[in-house]
């Protein structure tokens, strides 16, 4: 389980985030385009495409691509022009001319996607399943990656030190596996170039990827946006650490003596004491709210793109309180990105948490189940979003399941449907309604495609509760397009849950090959700490 750094629950932001889409760049003697406009760049087709960089004040800058030729006069050390409705194709040369001329070579026009999140998005193709085979087959110059380096910042940055790379067997091993499989499927189905901008950092929470302006504007999230006290909290934590370190060193000396004595007596030596963990200063901690938005999202604005894919949530699922809050935080983050990109409600596609941790034989009420519900609620209530359900690719002992191909392909299905209007089934069965008939609960579903199916044996993962709100394992069967749930331990059922566990063991799918999302039919309160439960 990933620990959230409680010490940095308040933003250290020294300067409020800006919503401007025109980057604030320092003046330079020569015309210099932003790093996104480097050799091999992929530009978004059929869109208003911003081209920007630095130049001397008053310098006339002309930008030419194909038959489009636009110009502007640099002001405040920067220039910004727009190309309109570029058709897919290439390679082209992009020229940017002022007192000097910069030629960006091997330019393609196609589909651009932002690929963000934490370690499961960052996990490389070389570390995923069937890596050797997939790397050998990954030679496609029409797929290109731009990898944003890790960067913490306390104000919105404008520059980024990276360049585009073509997808080859020599370059792909270190690139995001999820992004690669997503891009590979899109390129194959759309037959246009695909640009993938990786901006991700393992072990990071959603509040780090959200602007200060957004956190301050949402009452439930203001606790992340405090501008004072963080240094003091760090210093206090540092003092506690130093005291704990002294105690640890003393305990270590006693442990050495105990080990020696155990050896003399032929006994099992005692376990060593656990070393304390040093607190990180805010400037070195990617858990500090707003810092990754400032350092790894803001520098990309206002680059034209089609949409975003997101794989994150593990770092917000440390407890039920954070998991429930995620529905507000994640929704606010999506709105934040859309407002700042100024490209409307672009498609935002995300991955539901994979199964992880010990498989429990009896019903539980854990944080990961609540976070999955928060994700599902965002997909229902935030327009133009979809989640990829991956209950079939978990690992009890590894928070990073190696099967990344199904993840990328399900995200690509959602993109093909939402972004490109293809008439395909792109999500699995989702809860739609509940009726009670005597001792049986009848659950109806939407997104059933060709119909419901139990994959690999009798249905698993259903639990049932009566008015006492105590859930028990239940039997379930598909009947006339619904699921009949019952248990001889519940005479008068009132609620059904499905896959409600850290590691769901479930096998309900539709015939189109997509798994059902975990859900609950009840509105029972979450098991929050007493102080928060009272506030609710």
């Amino acid at each position: 389980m990933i620990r959230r750094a409680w010490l940095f629950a308040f933003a250290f932001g020294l300067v409020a985030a800006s919503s401007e889409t025109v980057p604030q760049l320092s003046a330079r003697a020569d015309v210099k385009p932003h790093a996104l406009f480097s050799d091999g760049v992929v530009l978004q087709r059929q869109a208003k495409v911003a081209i920007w960089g630095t130049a001397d004040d008053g310098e006339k800058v002309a930008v030419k691509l194909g038959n489009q030729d636009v110009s502007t006069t640099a002001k405040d050390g920067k220039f910004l022009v727009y190309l309109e409705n570029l058709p897919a194709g290439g390679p082209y040369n992009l020229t940017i001319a002022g007192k000097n001329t910069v030629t960006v070579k091997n330019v393609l026009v196609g589909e651009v996607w932002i690929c963000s999140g934490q370690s499961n998005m960052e996990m490389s193709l070389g570390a995923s399943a069937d890596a050797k085979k997939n790397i050998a087959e990954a030679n496609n110059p029409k797929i290109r990656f731009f990898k944003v380096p890790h960067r913490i910042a306390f104000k919105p940055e404008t520059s980024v030190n990276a360049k585009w790379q073509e997808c080859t067997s020599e370059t792909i091993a270190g690139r995001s596996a999820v992004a690669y499989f997503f891009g590979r499927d899109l390129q194959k189905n759309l037959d246009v170039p695909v640009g993938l901008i990786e901006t991700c950092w393992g072990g990071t929470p959603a509040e780090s990827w959200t602007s200060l302006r957004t956190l301050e504007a949402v009452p439930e999230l203001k606790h992340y946006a405090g501008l004072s006290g963080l240094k003091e909290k760090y210093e206090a934590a540092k003092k506690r650490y130093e005291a704990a370190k002294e105690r640890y060193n003393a305990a270590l000396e006693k442990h050495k003596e105990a080990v020696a004595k155990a050896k003399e007596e032929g006994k099992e030596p005692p376990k060593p004491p656990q070393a304390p963990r040093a607190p990180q200063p805010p400037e070195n901690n990617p858990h500090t709210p707003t810092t990754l938005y400032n350092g790894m999202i803001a520098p990309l604005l206002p680059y034209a793109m089609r949409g975003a894919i997101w794989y994150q949530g593990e770092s917000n699922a440390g407890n039920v309180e954070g998991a429930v809050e995620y529905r507000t935080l994640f929704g606010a983050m999506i709105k934040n990105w859309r407002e700042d990109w100024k490209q409307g409600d672009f498609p935002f596609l995300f991955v539901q948490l994979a199964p992880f941790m010990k498989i429990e034989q009896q019903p539980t009420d854990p944080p990961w189940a609540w976070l999955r519900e928060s994700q599902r609620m965002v997909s229902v209530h935030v327009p133009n979003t979809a989640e990829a359900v991956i209950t079939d690719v978990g690992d009890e002992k590894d928070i990073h399941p190696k099967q990344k191909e199904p993840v990328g392909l399900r995200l690509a299905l959602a993109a093909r449907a939402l972004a490109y209007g293809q008439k395909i089934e792109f999500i699995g069965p989702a809860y739609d309604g509940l009726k009670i008939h005597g001792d049986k609960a009848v659950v109806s579903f939407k997104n059933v495609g060709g119909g419901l199916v139990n994959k690999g044996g009798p249905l698993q993962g259903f639990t049932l509760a009566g008015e006492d709100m105590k859930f028990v394992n239940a039997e379930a069967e598909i009947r006339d397009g619904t699921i009949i749930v019952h248990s001889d331990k519940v005479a008068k059922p009132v609620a059904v849950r499905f896959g409600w566990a850290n590691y769901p063991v479930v096998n309900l799918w539709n015939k189109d090959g997509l798994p059902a999302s975990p859900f609950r039919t009840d509105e029972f309160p979450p098991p929050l700490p007493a102080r928060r439960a009272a506030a609710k």
Side-chain angles (χ1 to χ4, degrees):
M1 176 76 71
I2 296 176
R3 287 182 51 190
R4 297 180 63 201
W6 66 268
L7 176 60
F8 305 110
F10 294 93
F12 189 63
L14 302 177
V15 179
S18 169
S19 62
E20 293 182 5
T21 56
V22 179
Q24 303 298 313
L25 301 169
S26 59
R28 293 178 180 270
D30 290 336
V31 167
K32 183 178 181 181
H34 189 281
L36 280 160
F37 308 104
S38 58
D39 290 350
V41 59
V42 181
L43 302 177
Q44 178 61 46
R45 64 171 173 164
Q46 301 168 352
K48 187 176 182 179
V49 176
I51 309 289
W52 74 91
T54 57
D56 282 341
D57 285 1
E59 184 174 1
K60 184 176 180 180
V61 179
V63 176
K64 180 176 176 58
L65 179 72
N67 62 0
Q68 293 200 37
D69 193 344
V70 294
S71 62
T72 189
T73 300
K75 184 179 179 181
D76 298 328
K78 62 183 182 291
F79 72 89
L80 172 68
V81 299
Y82 292 94
L83 303 176
E84 301 277 355
N85 297 318
L86 300 169
Y92 306 111
N93 285 341
L94 170 69
T95 60
I96 303 170
K99 295 174 184 177
N100 62 302
T101 298
V102 177
T103 301
V104 181
K105 301 175 182 178
N106 192 19
V107 176
L108 297 182
V109 179
E111 292 298 312
V112 179
W113 285 80
I114 306 298
C115 311
S116 189
Q118 58 180 109
S119 52
N120 271 304
M121 179 61 80
E122 194 169 30
M123 185 175 177
S124 69
L125 188 66
S128 64
D130 303 317
K132 186 175 181 179
K133 171 181 177 292
N134 288 321
I135 290 171
E137 295 175 351
N139 286 292
N140 188 338
K142 289 188 176 182
I143 300 175
R144 301 190 177 173
F145 285 83
F146 186 92
K147 172 70 172 177
V148 177
H150 290 175
R151 187 179 188 181
I152 296 169
F154 293 108
K155 62 181 181 64
E157 296 291 345
T158 58
S159 63
V160 59
N161 184 19
K163 62 183 180 179
W164 287 89
Q165 286 186 318
E166 290 187 3
C167 177
T168 70
S169 295
E170 288 70 40
T171 63
I172 193 61
R175 299 283 69 83
S176 163
V178 169
Y180 167 70
F181 290 120
F182 170 80
R184 186 190 70 179
D185 191 72
L186 280 192
Q187 202 284 314
K188 176 183 176 182
N189 279 281
L190 301 176
D191 194 26
V192 298
V194 172
L196 303 165
I197 300 177
E198 282 187 70
T199 180
C200 38
W201 192 332
T204 56
E207 60 267 24
S208 296
W209 296 95
T210 307
S211 75
L212 178 61
R213 184 193 75 255
T214 298
L215 296 176
E216 288 179 330
V218 181
E220 299 91 336
L221 304 178
K222 278 189 175 180
H223 65 96
Y224 288 119
L227 297 179
S228 64
L230 191 57
K231 281 186 176 180
E232 290 78 5
K233 289 176 182 291
Y234 168 68
E235 293 299 331
K238 189 176 178 181
K239 288 181 180 179
R240 291 194 295 271
Y241 166 72
E242 294 297 339
K245 190 175 178 181
E246 289 184 10
R247 294 193 297 270
Y248 168 74
N249 289 333
L252 200 60
E253 290 300 319
K254 290 184 178 180
H255 175 259
K256 290 178 181 178
E257 296 174 2
V259 169
K261 184 178 180 180
K263 286 183 177 179
E264 290 178 2
E265 297 175 353
K267 298 179 180 179
E268 185 76 18
K271 293 182 179 180
Q274 186 173 1
R277 180 180 294 183
Q280 283 186 296
E283 62 270 19
N284 295 336
N285 193 343
H287 280 238
T288 303
T290 79
T291 54
L292 302 188
Y293 172 87
N294 291 332
M296 298 178 67
I297 296 298
L300 305 177
L301 301 170
Y303 196 75
M305 51 78 172
R306 179 66 67 190
I309 59 173
W310 173 261
Y311 193 160
Q312 190 275 339
E314 298 91 340
S315 286
N316 290 92
N319 54 52
V320 173
E321 187 174 347
V324 172
E325 178 191 72
Y326 192 77
R327 63 196 62 178
T328 301
L329 174 59
F330 186 32
M333 191 204 83
I334 294 172
K335 182 182 179 184
N336 172 190
W337 287 24
R338 286 173 168 174
E339 288 177 347
D340 289 0
W341 244 289
K342 294 187 178 355
Q343 292 185 205
D345 287 346
F346 59 77
F348 199 105
L349 317 173
F350 55 92
V351 184
Q352 190 182 86
L353 289 186
F356 175 57
M357 291 179 277
K358 180 183 177 182
I359 296 175
E360 301 287 352
Q361 300 303 317
Q362 298 300 321
T364 60
D365 201 9
W368 280 48
W370 286 96
L371 195 130
R372 289 192 191 97
E373 178 176 78
S374 291
Q375 291 175 315
R376 187 181 66 82
M377 291 178 70
V378 167
S379 73
V380 171
H381 297 295
V382 179
N384 216 19
T385 62
E387 65 174 343
V389 176
I390 55 167
T391 50
D392 55 322
V393 298
D395 188 318
E396 276 188 272
K397 298 180 180 179
D398 193 348
I399 201 170
H400 307 114
K402 289 183 168 53
Q403 293 290 341
K404 290 294 188 275
E405 187 169 14
V407 183
L409 295 185
R410 288 172 198 169
L411 287 169
L413 281 176
R416 288 163 56 192
L418 294 185
Y420 306 110
Q422 295 184 10
K423 303 300 181 183
I424 56 175
E425 195 68 43
F426 64 97
I427 50 178
Y431 169 68
D432 193 39
L434 174 70
K435 293 182 179 180
I436 304 297
H437 295 292
D439 63 348
K440 294 180 175 59
V442 181
V443 186
S444 57
F445 293 83
K446 52 188 175 182
N447 307 323
V448 298
L452 300 175
V453 62
N454 48 312
K455 193 172 181 179
L459 285 175
Q460 299 183 65
F462 285 89
T463 61
L464 196 62
E467 293 180 352
D468 61 0
M469 299 191 298
K470 295 180 180 179
F471 284 88
V472 299
N473 291 327
E475 297 180 9
E477 60 178 309
I478 300 171
R479 187 184 303 172
D480 297 327
T482 64
I483 304 291
I484 310 299
V485 186
H486 61 95
S487 168
D488 57 10
K489 297 179 181 179
V490 182
K492 296 180 179 180
V494 300
V496 174
R497 289 182 176 182
F498 169 73
W500 200 260
N502 286 325
Y503 193 115
V505 178
V506 292
N507 62 345
L508 175 63
W509 294 57
N510 62 22
K511 291 182 179 178
D512 301 82
L514 294 168
S517 175
F519 66 87
R520 65 182 180 125
T521 69
D522 61 89
E523 295 184 359
F524 300 159
L528 295 172
R531 61 184 177 85
R532 292 302 302 272
K536 294 288 182 181

